[in-house]
Amino acid sequence: MSDNTARLDQLRTEAQRDGVQQLRVSAIVQHDGKVLLLRQPPTGDHVEGEWEIPVGTVDSEEDLYQALARVIRASVGLDLLHVGEVLSQIDYTTSDEQKARQLNFLVQVLEPDPIELTDHDAYTWTGLVAETPLVTEMTRKALADYSRSTALFTRQHRPQ
């Protein structure tokens, strides 16, 4: 078992131990220093024009890698290449009072295009500096963790 597989299995085990009833994964897809965001179409559940990262519920029969691959494929038609670090986890209670956890992963895809949208009406690659559009609360939290992680990496690897 690889270190990555063991780490993903441990995250699922921790969620079960903590009584999480709904486990979700989100993918911060990186390419050329930018992050993929998807715009939600107008529906009863969402604010028209809000942007989010690919996110979905983990099915009981799949591991976290399989869930991430499925979510990315279903959301944008891209193939998962690599699962990087878990940037954060967000615990919350759903509208039907279930204990939920969202695990936010940094991922890379095999190729960044073509994007094939299914549940969203637009996409953008953003550098997150001043161009981040209106995003969902969960996406805002995940992107803040991503920004902190990126800034920390840059400071630690600055040339002397």
Side-chain angles (χ1 to χ4, degrees):
M1 178 183 300
S2 73
D3 287 344
N4 201 28
T5 302
R7 180 176 55 90
L8 294 176
D9 288 345
Q10 180 182 1
L11 289 167
R12 183 156 194 152
T13 300
E14 289 171 3
Q16 291 168 340
R17 179 199 67 214
D18 294 343
V20 171
Q21 298 163 292
Q22 186 181 107
L23 186 59
R24 297 172 59 81
V25 292
S26 72
I28 298 178
V29 181
Q30 269 189 308
H31 177 70
D32 282 343
K34 295 190 176 199
V35 171
L36 178 64
L37 293 178
L38 309 172
R39 189 175 67 193
Q40 300 171 339
T43 66
D45 295 343
H46 303 291
V47 174
E48 181 177 355
E50 272 192 321
W51 295 78
E52 66 183 355
I53 53 181
V55 61
T57 302
V58 179
D59 293 337
S60 60
E61 71 278 352
E62 64 187 355
D63 63 33
L64 297 181
Y65 185 92
Q66 292 167 329
L68 282 163
R70 177 184 49 78
V71 165
I72 293 167
R73 166 61 68 188
S75 297
V76 293
L78 300 178
D79 294 318
L80 179 61
L81 175 65
H82 175 73
V83 176
E85 66 181 297
V86 175
L87 295 173
S88 62
Q89 72 180 36
I90 302 169
D91 290 336
Y92 61 101
T93 302
T94 65
S95 59
D96 59 349
E97 301 300 316
Q98 287 190 333
K99 186 173 183 179
R101 176 171 294 163
Q102 179 174 308
L103 299 170
N104 303 309
F105 290 90
L106 185 58
V107 304
Q108 295 175 334
V109 291
L110 194 57
E111 294 291 333
D113 54 43
I115 300 282
E116 299 169 8
L117 299 174
T118 53
D119 295 331
H120 298 86
D121 64 2
Y123 73 92
T124 187
W125 291 95
T126 178
L128 301 177
V129 180
E131 56 188 277
T132 304
L134 173 69
V135 295
T136 64
E137 179 66 16
M138 296 293 261
T139 295
R140 184 191 61 73
K141 289 177 181 180
L143 293 178
D145 292 330
Y146 168 76
S147 294
R148 279 191 293 278
S149 173
T150 302
L152 178 62
F153 178 83
T154 301
R155 282 195 304 275
Q156 289 177 344
H157 295 87
R158 185 177 295 141
Q160 301 296 326

